Structure formats: structure tokens, C-alpha cells
Amino acid sequence: MLIALCLALSSISAQTKPVRIIIPQKPTESEHYAAKQLQTLLQKGGLETHIHTRNDDTPQSGSIYVGTCPFVNTDGYRNNAYAMLGDGNFFVLSGKGEKGTLYAVYDFLERYCGYRLFTPEALETKELHSFSIPADTVLNIAPAFDYREVLYFYPNNSQLYTDWHRLNNRADLNRDWGMFVHTFKNLIPHERYFDSHPEWFSMRNGQRVRDGQLCLANPYVLDTLCRNLQEMVDQNPQAKIWSVSNNDNYNVCQCSECLKLDSLYGGPTGTLLHFVNQVARRFPDKTISTLAYQFTRQAPQGLKVHPDSNVNIMFCSIECGRELPLETNPAESAFCNDMRNWQKISDNIFMWDYIVQFRNFWDPFPNLHVLQPNLRFFRDHGVKMMFEQATGEKNITSWMDIRCYLTAKLMWNPDLDADSILNDFCNGYYGNAGQYVKSIIDTMTSIVATSGQRLNIYGFAIDACEGYLAPKYMDQYRKMMALAYAAATDSIIHQRLRFFELSLDFATVELAAGGAFYEELFPEGDKLEKVRQMYSMLNRMVDDLNRFGVSQMMEMGISPDQYRELIARYIEKTFSYSNSYFRPVELRKPPTEPYTNEGGLDLTDGAGGILDYRYYWLGFYGDTLDAVISLGATDTVKHISMDFYFYPLSWIFLPQQIDYYISNDKKNWRLVGHHTPENPEILATPMIKTFNTDLDKPTKASYLRVVAIPLPQIPLWHRATGQPAWIFTDEIIVN
């Protein structure tokens, strides 16, 4: 049975008795703000409301109590949990902690008034001429996780969005944390200490490396780190949590003393945990957090070392696929076992999960079906703090509106019905067009879940060219989008649909640039017309991305305009004429597996390389590129160019020397171009560099020879110093 809220809520309207909002005599700042928000938002629905101070403990019929009151006791509640209590005469919204009461207000507005906050700019209110709540309402509502952060644009640029969806954001983290992950480099910076104390840093392949980890067996490392940490704590004494954690690489120390500790404590994780425990004992009033990440993801073998009571374990899922829920994915059984083992030895686990594709922020990434089961798995295995890494606080990215909304709801309560949340969002946000957006999402999700294809957070659109981005499905999605636009009722819905559609445009451009099903993606017209269509889609997409405020297309920092330049370069290389196109190529040294592609033909096939070195690039590991192109007896050469890929994070560097030669007999070679590229100390920004040579005048040549010599070894500044360097190259252009 439904009973009206206070004096029958159906009678509470702008024409009848105002709603009384009653606050404590001495409300906290957050309680007063919660009451004002309730008043403001009920007024948006057409109800007149007044705020009054509680004078006594007698329930006032027809009133909503906000904050501390005698009718509910929240003393035993978890932080930011809340109560919603109603008996048909009055209603109580009261919570624990700084935000509990505010969370109760927003929940009330969603649950009983039908309000929704889809995005910071999309608040849906209802006309409240009549609304009602269940009789005998007694709801005690607590979050599944004490800390809930989705690292997306909305929560970090709208406090209303953050609070409405009961999230934490970067401001909360920066208040509580003195340092956050990968902190060895801050606590023992190599710029300050390596030259004088190389023995404090990781030994790899017989030499100490700057960009690695620390030598945790060295007692001076512990003392120096703690001294530096104490200085930081003194400067920021309010911070409760300090990260003492491995850097973001695999270069764990292999010196004999560290290997002894690994053997004693159950592997590198045990050595790290033994070290961190010693730090934690010197800072007993702080929580010391460390990483279970990559080579330290596994709990110590045999559980030989347990974290101290003030040690937090930050457990990370970076390697995992997102095609199936973790617990039912056979490929992730090792991860799930690691989770269970950490639960056995720690009740202070911070879960760092990943919910977007980082290499391509605008690629469709249909992982929504795994969010709920994964969050449920984390909750059921002792996670207290939940962090979902998305595309950062400054980046506007594909599916952000949908994914952030769904993730926020499920972080508070992983037992909610995810499909119902998606339906509610799509129908409310897109109106009549929502069914078609939901259909696209469902189709992609179904294909991913049943295909067996890995959904990788560091993947590319071309990875799915035979799966959920196959041409036949792309055609389906376009038809559904056409139906969605036809069903849209106003320009605002059109813009929301366009924002969603941009991910399909990006996938189309990426697939075409990757050479996948080019004819199917642009089926109309001759070759020139196809180029025009691709240019048109690219330009419209980039213009709209800029209009929506997009600043970054990929984790590496490519802007929309830079992306336009990259794809335009690909189109120009692929569709312009070159004397070298499809000419025979002799590779005097073979490329290195698995980056052989089509062998020498890869250099003259007319397909320019893109920002994915797995396609249309030839790779040589520590070896020289020596290629001879047969041009033909009557060809003349005036211009030569060749591209090389630069991405030190994957050990890919520019050659130390590039030479172009021409000949008419393959015996007598004339040097016509010489380049000595510089390799900047940039780790994680990929670049394509073109090396041009122009001859003084057109010269007849039957053969062109290119010799590119790699660096003798990876330089000292790099974490893989001393190892061979890769060189990657693609199309040779001769005109």
C-alpha cells in the first residue's frame, strides 16, 4: 500500500500548504546545505517549501526532517551511510559523516520524486503535484565501499554530480593522501641520488639503472626514504595516507641481496611488503599504502609476510581483459586467486580497476556488462576503497556520460540491476531515441561476451575488425543511429546523439586507416570519392570533438587537431603516387618476429603506418635495416622520404643514422641522403618522424638503398638501459 508523505503528499503542491523542511537548532554546515538543496530542488518541481529550525522533539506532521533529529540514531552507521524514515506523518533524512545527510536528500529526490542527474548539465526534474512513498518506510542505506572514485571528467568538474552520485573525487583524495602511487621516484629521486649512490637503485643485467625500482635490501635506502618521507609529512601533517610504492615499470632489483630477500619472503612482493612494514612502523599514526601491481600483484608466496595494521594494499587489475566478468573469465583465474590471497592477509585493500580503453579514448569500449559483477566480486573479497580509473579529470571522452552514470550507481550498490540503470539512463537522457542507443550498446556487448575476443584496455579499433566493429555490425549501428536521430525530439537530444555517434566515426576512421575493410566502410564511388568521404568524416568528427571541448584523444595526449594531421598524413601517403609503389624490395637483413608483416613489400605497398606499430610497420630489434628497392630502368629520383616510429615506452627509438643511396647496377652506390636523428628523453609519447632528402636535380636510378642503423643500446636515461633498441619503419616514398 502507498501512503502519502505527510498530510497526504498528493495534497502538497504549489496551491496548498507548503512543505516544511526542519533542521536541527545548530545544524552543521553540511546539514544546512542539504536542506537548502532539498528546498531548491523541490521548488523546481513546483512545490513551495520553507525551512524551519526544530524547537522540540515532538514530530511535526507534514514535515521533512533533514539532519540530526531524535527520531533516528545514526551513531553506529558507517561513514556517509544514512537513514530514510517515514510513518506517513513525517519523514526523516539523516546521515552519518560530512555527506551522509546530503546523500539522503539526493536519494530521496531520485527514489520518490523521480529526479535524475544524468550529467552535470542534464538534471531531470518532475512536476510534483502528486507524489507518494511506501508506508512504514525504514531504510538504512550504507555504501558497499567506504571510498568510491570514478576518475572521469564529470565528478571532478561538478560538485553537484559528485555528491548526487555519492562519489569521491580528486579533491577528496588530495586532502587525505600525501602521495599517491609510484612514489619510489619521489622518495629517492634518481636525479638527486643516482650519481652518488647507484647502489640504491635496481640492478638489471649486471648494471644499476636510473629508471627502475629501488634496491630494497640496502639499509641506507630505508633510512633515506624514511627521512625524506618525514620531511614531506612535516609539510603536510593533515594527510592520513602516504604511498610508498614501486615505480611504474618491471625493473625490480636483481642484485644478490634482493634475490635472497625474495627467496626468504616469498618473491618480490614479499620483499616489498617487508620493506613497507618497516616504513610503517616508523610512522605509526599514518597509513602507508603500497602497490600490488604487475610484478607485485601476487601476494607473497606461502603468505610468508603479512602487511602491518597500518599498511594499505592497493591491488590493481591492469592486465585483465574486460570481455567477461573477472570471476567467470578463465583467462583471469590467476587474478582472482591473487585477490583471494590478499583478502586472507589484509582487511585494508584499495582496489584500482580500469574501465576505459586508454590508447584510444574515443573507441567504442563495450565493457558495461562486466562493471556490476566485477564490483560485486571486489566487495565480496574485502575491498574497502574502490577506484575506477577512467580517462582522467580533464578529458571528455566517448561513452563518458553513460559509463560514469552506471559505474557510480553500482559503486554504491553492486546489487542493483545494471540493465535497469542503463534503460533508465537511455530513456531519460535520449528520450524516444534511447531505445536505439541501448540497442547499439547491447549488440556490441553481446558480441564481445560471446565471441571470445579479448577486450583490452590498451587495444585499438582494428583489434575488433572481425568482432563487434566488423563492417556488417558497423552498418547496423549506422542504421540504428539514423532511427535514433529520426526519433529525437529536439536539438539537445540531437547533440547527445552526436556525442555518442562520434565513437562510431572514430572507429570507422581508425579501421580505414588500419586498412581493415576499406571498401565496405566507404562503399560508394571510385578511389578518389572514397578519399573524399574519409576526409569529410574526419573533418566533421574533429570539428565536433573540438566543439564538445575534447582536448585529448589518447592517453599519450594527441589533440583532435593533431589526430586530424596524423590521419591526413596517412591518406596523403596512401593515395598519392610514388615511383616506389609496389616495387620489389630486397631486405638484406630480415625483420624481427612478430613485426614482419608483409616483409619488404610493407615498405612499398602504399599503406602508410599509423600510431599502432603492430600494423604496416617493420620492426628490427637491435639490427640494421638494409633495404634495396628496384625502381626500374627509366625512373628518375628527385625526392626520397621514409617514416620511422618513436615510442621509447616500448623500446622503439629512432635510428642513430639513416642513409639513402642510389645506383644503376646494385654495385656502385652513391650516397644522396644522410640523417642523424636525435632521440629526445620522452618515454610515453609516440611519434612518427619523416626523414626527407631532396636531390639537386632529377637523377636516373634503377635502385634505391636505405640503411638505418639502430642505437648501439638503449640510453642511460631509460629503464631498459643497456638493452638493444628497436627501430620501426614503413613506407618509402620516391618521386
Side-chain angles (χ1 to χ4, degrees):
M1 179 178 100
L2 291 178
I3 186 168
L5 168 63
C6 322
L7 298 183
L9 280 179
S10 59
S11 68
I12 298 178
S13 68
Q15 288 77 37
T16 63
K17 189 175 181 179
V19 177
R20 291 164 53 89
I21 299 172
I22 299 180
I23 59 176
Q25 288 185 348
K26 295 182 179 180
T28 64
E29 183 178 343
S30 60
E31 288 174 330
H32 190 267
Y33 177 73
K36 290 293 293 182
Q37 284 293 93
L38 180 61
Q39 179 185 44
T40 299
L41 292 167
L42 287 178
Q43 287 175 345
K44 283 182 178 290
L47 291 180
E48 183 181 352
T49 61
H50 295 163
I51 296 177
H52 302 271
T53 301
R54 191 182 78 245
N55 294 319
D56 55 45
D57 294 345
T58 303
Q60 299 294 311
S61 183
S63 300
I64 302 176
Y65 288 82
V66 174
T68 305
C69 73
F71 315 125
V72 62
N73 184 354
T74 60
D75 287 347
Y77 283 29
R78 291 168 59 182
N79 190 41
N80 292 325
Y82 53 89
M84 303 175 73
L85 174 68
D87 71 351
N89 291 309
F90 65 92
F91 204 77
V92 177
L93 302 172
S94 181
K96 181 73 174 290
E98 180 184 0
K99 295 289 180 70
T101 296
L102 183 61
Y103 291 169
V105 164
Y106 291 143
D107 190 356
F108 171 83
L109 291 167
E110 279 213 355
R111 192 184 297 254
Y112 300 122
C113 303
Y115 286 21
R116 296 290 185 271
L117 185 68
F118 298 117
T119 72
E121 295 78 29
L123 172 64
E124 180 184 89
T125 61
K126 301 289 186 180
E127 289 295 324
L128 299 177
H129 299 302
S130 175
F131 64 103
S132 49
I133 60 170
D136 302 321
T137 302
V138 180
L139 297 176
N140 299 301
I141 300 171
F145 308 99
D146 292 335
Y147 182 86
R148 304 161 305 283
E149 182 181 359
V150 187
L151 189 56
Y152 250 141
F153 180 85
Y154 291 152
N156 289 286
N157 291 273
S158 168
Q159 194 60 48
L160 173 63
Y161 188 94
T162 303
D163 292 338
W164 187 287
H165 293 289
R166 295 167 288 183
L167 293 171
N168 299 99
N169 59 18
R170 290 282 95 178
D172 297 321
L173 184 135
N174 292 334
R175 179 192 62 218
D176 293 337
W177 289 69
M179 280 193 299
F180 188 69
V181 306
H182 303 314
T183 60
F184 279 172
K185 65 182 182 299
N186 307 109
L187 291 162
I188 306 284
H190 67 80
E191 299 90 345
R192 178 178 175 185
Y193 292 108
F194 186 83
D195 289 342
S196 56
H197 295 287
E199 71 278 8
W200 292 3
F201 297 84
S202 290
M203 177 174 281
R204 302 290 295 181
N205 302 304
Q207 64 178 331
R208 301 286 178 175
V209 296
R210 295 172 181 269
D211 185 17
Q213 306 296 337
L214 298 177
C215 180
L216 301 183
N218 191 312
Y220 295 104
V221 169
L222 176 64
D223 290 340
T224 305
L225 183 148
C226 288
R227 184 169 59 251
N228 291 342
L229 178 57
Q230 185 63 63
E231 291 177 1
M232 296 176 183
V233 170
D234 291 343
Q235 294 172 7
N236 186 12
Q238 302 305 314
K240 304 170 186 175
I241 309 173
W242 294 82
S243 177
V244 177
S245 55
N246 30 311
N247 293 328
D248 196 4
N249 62 67
Y250 283 90
N251 285 352
V252 62
C253 187
Q254 296 176 330
C255 77
S256 59
E257 293 304 311
C258 280
L259 292 177
K260 288 179 184 177
L261 292 180
D262 292 349
S263 177
L264 180 63
Y265 295 120
T269 307
T271 298
L272 173 67
L273 200 51
H274 169 69
F275 180 88
V276 169
N277 281 344
Q278 294 179 79
V279 176
R281 289 162 196 166
R282 300 193 190 188
F283 296 87
D285 60 336
K286 302 295 182 184
T287 295
I288 304 299
S289 178
T290 198
L291 277 169
Y293 173 74
Q294 295 183 336
F295 67 88
T296 61
R297 194 189 78 184
Q298 288 185 324
Q301 295 174 19
L303 308 182
K304 293 180 180 180
V305 185
H306 290 204
D308 280 10
S309 60
N310 64 325
V311 170
N312 167 262
I313 300 300
M314 186 174 284
F315 184 61
C316 306
S317 64
I318 192 168
E319 304 92 347
C320 297
R322 271 69 187 174
E323 64 279 4
L324 293 171
L326 292 166
E327 198 168 18
T328 59
N329 189 341
E332 305 308 336
S333 59
F335 173 86
C336 294
N337 287 334
D338 291 343
M339 175 89 261
R340 295 183 185 103
N341 284 333
W342 279 113
Q343 184 188 15
K344 291 176 183 177
I345 61 174
S346 177
D347 62 358
N348 189 357
I349 300 175
F350 182 116
M351 182 67 220
W352 187 317
D353 191 31
Y354 305 78
I355 59 171
V356 295
Q357 192 175 78
F358 291 96
R359 278 210 177 102
N360 296 284
F361 287 170
W362 278 91
D363 213 13
F365 191 64
N367 68 330
L368 304 185
H369 61 299
V370 305
L371 296 177
Q372 183 203 40
N374 286 353
L375 285 165
R376 192 181 288 168
F377 175 74
F378 299 143
R379 178 201 60 190
D380 294 345
H381 288 83
V383 171
K384 298 291 193 301
M385 307 171 77
M386 190 68 225
F387 174 68
E388 295 286 15
Q389 181 166 349
T391 49
E393 64 257 53
K394 297 180 181 179
N395 301 315
I396 296 170
T397 55
S398 75
W399 292 27
M400 176 178 71
D401 38 17
I402 301 170
R403 198 183 337 260
C404 193
Y405 186 92
L406 177 62
T407 305
K409 298 294 186 191
L410 294 173
M411 287 180 88
W412 183 270
N413 182 3
D415 293 323
L416 294 174
D417 187 304
D419 199 57
S420 294
I421 297 171
L422 274 176
N423 281 324
D424 185 60
F425 180 92
C426 289
N427 293 333
Y429 191 60
Y430 299 108
N432 294 334
Q435 59 183 310
Y436 304 110
V437 174
K438 180 66 162 46
S439 181
I440 292 172
I441 293 170
D442 287 346
T443 302
M444 287 189 183
T445 298
S446 176
I447 296 167
V448 167
T450 58
S451 67
Q453 178 191 357
R454 183 175 175 83
L455 192 62
N456 188 347
I457 64 171
Y458 286 103
F460 296 83
I462 199 169
D463 297 337
C465 67
E466 296 181 358
Y468 66 93
L469 295 181
K472 63 178 180 180
Y473 297 123
M474 292 292 286
D475 184 58
Q476 286 183 30
Y477 307 149
R478 293 297 186 181
K479 290 176 179 176
M480 290 184 221
M481 285 304 307
L483 293 171
Y485 279 117
T489 55
D490 57 47
S491 61
I492 293 176
I493 301 298
H494 269 263
Q495 289 307 303
R496 293 173 183 174
L497 291 172
R498 179 59 185 149
F499 187 83
F500 179 82
E501 186 186 29
L502 282 168
S503 66
L504 299 179
D505 286 0
F506 178 82
T508 301
V509 171
E510 282 284 295
L511 291 170
F517 309 110
Y518 189 84
E519 296 291 331
E520 292 94 329
L521 292 166
F522 296 99
E524 302 297 329
D526 57 14
K527 183 176 180 180
L528 182 59
E529 176 58 26
K530 294 179 190 298
V531 173
R532 289 194 183 111
Q533 290 176 41
M534 189 172 178
Y535 258 125
S536 176
M537 179 175 287
L538 172 67
N539 286 326
R540 182 180 178 227
M541 179 187 76
V542 170
D543 289 347
D544 284 344
L545 289 169
N546 285 327
R547 182 168 55 84
F548 281 118
V550 174
S551 60
Q552 191 167 324
M553 300 283 290
M554 307 172 185
E555 187 181 30
M556 297 88 78
I558 307 287
S559 72
D561 287 324
Q562 289 171 326
Y563 182 78
R564 175 163 28 205
E565 291 174 10
L566 285 169
I567 298 300
R569 172 202 159 280
Y570 160 81
I571 294 173
E572 181 180 356
K573 278 216 161 199
T574 302
F575 294 100
S576 299
Y577 178 75
S578 168
N579 291 343
S580 58
Y581 277 178
F582 298 102
R583 300 287 188 165
V585 178
E586 173 193 349
L587 292 177
R588 295 187 171 183
K589 293 189 175 185
T592 306
E593 293 285 353
Y595 305 108
T596 56
N597 287 312
E598 296 179 317
L601 182 60
D602 228 45
L603 302 179
T604 60
D605 64 357
I610 57 174
L611 279 182
D612 181 354
Y613 57 83
R614 300 172 303 163
Y615 299 98
Y616 304 107
W617 294 91
L618 288 184
F620 297 82
Y621 182 52
D623 208 351
T624 297
L625 162 69
D626 192 343
V628 176
I629 298 95
S630 298
L631 297 175
T634 61
D635 279 356
T636 60
V637 176
K638 179 68 169 64
H639 172 82
I640 305 167
S641 73
M642 195 168 185
D643 286 348
F644 288 85
Y645 198 88
F646 174 82
Y647 191 40
L649 187 64
S650 294
W651 300 16
I652 302 171
F653 291 81
L654 300 175
Q656 66 170 336
Q657 180 176 319
I658 304 167
D659 291 323
Y660 299 142
Y661 302 86
I662 57 175
S663 173
N664 286 307
D665 59 8
K666 289 181 68 174
K667 296 178 181 178
N668 299 295
W669 295 97
R670 173 189 165 197
L671 179 67
V672 294
H674 175 72
H675 301 272
T676 55
E678 292 186 4
N679 280 282
E681 293 188 18
I682 300 172
L683 183 65
T685 301
M687 292 183 279
I688 297 172
K689 293 288 188 179
T690 302
F691 294 91
N692 297 296
T693 288
D694 289 298
L695 280 66
D696 293 336
K697 61 182 180 179
T699 303
K700 285 188 177 182
S702 299
Y703 303 96
L704 168 69
R705 183 182 180 191
V706 179
V707 178
I709 302 172
L711 295 176
Q713 62 181 24
I714 291 176
L716 287 174
W717 64 266
H718 193 274
R719 59 189 55 166
T721 181
Q723 297 300 302
W726 283 93
I727 57 173
F728 275 76
T729 187
D730 78 331
E731 203 69 14
I732 299 171
I733 301 295
V734 179
N735 288 310

